[in-house]
Amino acid sequence: MDFKYYMQRALAAPEEGDKIEYFNLKARVSGNVLVNAQRTIPTPVYVYEADITKFYNEYQKLKEECGYPLSFNTLMMRLLVEGLKVAPRLNAHLEYNHTASCGRLIVKKHIDVAMPIFMDGGITFPVKVRAIEDKSLKEIADQIADIMRRMDKTDVDGLLFDLIQQRMIGFMLKGKVVSTFAQIASGFVGKYSVTSAADIFKKRVKDPESLSMYDFNEGTVCFTNTGTLCRELYGHISYGPLLYPQVFMLGISNIKEVDYPFRNEKGEVDIGTKKMLPITLAFDHRLGGFGDVIPLVKKFEEVFANPEVIHEW
């Protein structure tokens, strides 16, 4: 065993024939956001299995009657709005000073839902569905459809450059000068580079209907559906890092049918089928605990038990 081989093993370096993929621009941006989230936010996660049998049946009726394309995602996003109205501290941004152990909670006026969408290369990035606190189901569905239409007209890399510049300025204003310059330098020079300085500052022709940097900035709350990734996979999110400065994330998985025993009108044991939806609730523990989440869960249960209300949405 020579010294070079010894050092390669010590560093867990790639061997000959291994395929190496360096982070591209999208992966660098999303990776930075997620790592900062895990470093700074103490995140408990609660998963509960919601019986949505009646709720889903009512959704199917509404979908046939409403006269516009209505997805289950859109309906759950509207349900999230109802939950946040009774649990407003979850629709907030939290600023915290680790050195002084002090901070402040900013309860937001508008509900801006960060909805992850898929980009080239399998990277997901959140896009905001803005100010939906007073919008109807149809208005939310139309807004999401418009976002997806505008996404096709958007120069995503150019938009991410603008977003990076904004965040780098924000980091430096917070005193993170060394790490900021290290990130900038590694983006331009060496094997981890993703662009050139000219690309950062070059003038870009933007489609007037494209998404803006504001559409990619942090929302007030995050909503994600892992069920859209693989319809055949059943499970739930066991952990979801919050995107700073958000304090709450709601995630849903695939609906699953579960058989259960019950007594029928004759008093005999029979077998029925329920539709169950795993719902994941992740929140910033610095809020004070699970007490802030309980009103939202109770609101969900109320709607699941009396789903006729969705026709008024």
Side-chain angles (χ1 to χ4, degrees):
M1 179 188 300
D2 59 18
F3 181 73
K4 180 180 179 181
Y5 180 83
Y6 178 84
M7 292 302 294
Q8 282 182 322
R9 298 285 65 74
L11 295 172
E15 301 180 45
E16 184 178 352
D18 291 349
K19 181 182 178 182
I20 301 174
E21 294 183 3
Y22 291 105
F23 276 22
N24 59 19
L25 181 64
K26 300 181 186 69
R28 283 178 64 108
V29 173
S30 61
N32 178 264
V33 170
L34 293 173
V35 168
N36 284 333
Q38 296 226 8
R39 284 176 176 172
T40 59
I41 304 175
T43 310
V45 176
Y46 174 68
V47 181
Y48 82 101
E49 299 272 343
D51 181 354
I52 65 163
T53 308
K54 294 195 292 185
F55 180 76
Y56 192 82
N57 291 339
E58 208 64 39
Y59 156 66
Q60 295 283 35
K61 294 178 186 176
L62 180 59
K63 187 176 180 180
E64 294 177 3
E65 299 169 357
C66 66
Y68 60 89
L70 176 62
S71 70
F72 189 72
N73 264 14
T74 302
L75 181 61
M76 288 301 297
M77 192 177 294
R78 182 63 179 78
L79 177 61
L80 173 59
V81 170
E82 292 298 308
L84 292 174
K85 287 179 179 179
V86 298
R89 294 180 86 240
L90 299 180
N91 186 58
H93 284 173
L94 191 146
E95 295 178 353
Y96 188 76
N97 186 316
H98 289 269
T99 304
S101 296
C102 62
R104 62 176 184 170
L105 184 71
I106 305 169
V107 180
K108 306 298 286 185
K109 175 182 178 181
H110 296 297
I111 296 176
D112 297 336
V113 178
M115 176 186 69
I117 61 174
F118 293 95
M119 298 181 174
D120 295 337
I123 300 297
T124 61
F125 213 82
V127 174
K128 280 197 301 189
V129 186
R130 294 185 276 180
I132 63 172
E133 62 276 1
D134 295 318
K135 291 184 177 175
S136 66
L137 266 174
K138 183 180 185 308
E139 289 172 329
I140 296 175
D142 289 344
Q143 187 173 349
I144 293 174
D146 186 61
I147 288 172
M148 302 311 295
R149 179 186 64 82
R150 293 169 60 202
M151 188 72 190
D152 292 335
K153 299 176 180 290
T154 301
D155 174 10
V156 177
D157 282 349
L159 200 59
L160 290 177
F161 281 136
D162 294 338
L163 192 62
I164 288 170
Q165 290 181 69
Q166 182 195 63
R167 288 184 173 171
M168 292 300 101
I169 293 172
F171 288 154
M172 286 191 287
L173 291 176
K174 291 178 180 178
K176 300 178 181 179
V177 178
V178 175
S179 61
T180 299
F181 276 105
Q183 290 179 46
I184 294 173
S186 66
F188 294 148
V189 181
K191 60 185 178 183
Y192 298 108
S193 64
V194 293
T195 187
S196 65
D199 286 331
I200 289 286
F201 298 106
K202 75 178 181 181
K203 187 175 181 180
R204 296 180 180 83
V205 179
K206 296 182 180 179
D207 189 306
E209 290 197 322
S210 65
L211 296 173
S212 69
M213 181 174 60
Y214 182 58
D215 295 304
F216 275 70
N217 279 335
E218 292 81 4
T220 60
V221 65
C222 185
F223 168 78
T224 184
N225 182 358
T226 58
T228 59
L229 294 176
C230 184
R231 298 292 184 185
E232 296 78 23
L233 186 65
Y234 292 97
H236 61 259
I237 302 170
S238 59
Y239 176 74
L242 300 174
L243 303 181
Y244 179 84
Q246 296 171 19
V247 299
F248 180 66
M249 182 199 79
L250 183 141
I252 62 175
S253 305
N254 279 327
I255 300 169
K256 58 182 179 181
E257 294 190 344
V258 178
D259 294 333
Y260 71 101
F262 70 98
R263 290 194 179 276
N264 58 28
E265 296 176 352
K266 298 179 180 179
E268 301 170 340
V269 176
D270 205 343
I271 298 295
T273 302
K274 294 180 179 179
K275 291 186 181 297
M276 305 298 292
L277 177 66
I279 299 178
T280 301
L281 310 170
F283 61 97
D284 192 324
H285 213 305
R286 291 172 296 185
L287 280 175
F290 193 62
D292 287 298
V293 181
I294 290 175
L296 179 137
V297 175
K298 287 184 175 180
K299 186 65 177 181
F300 278 23
E301 289 294 300
E302 177 188 322
V303 174
F304 292 151
N306 303 281
E308 298 82 9
V309 69
I310 69 175
H311 293 272
E312 301 173 10
W313 295 351

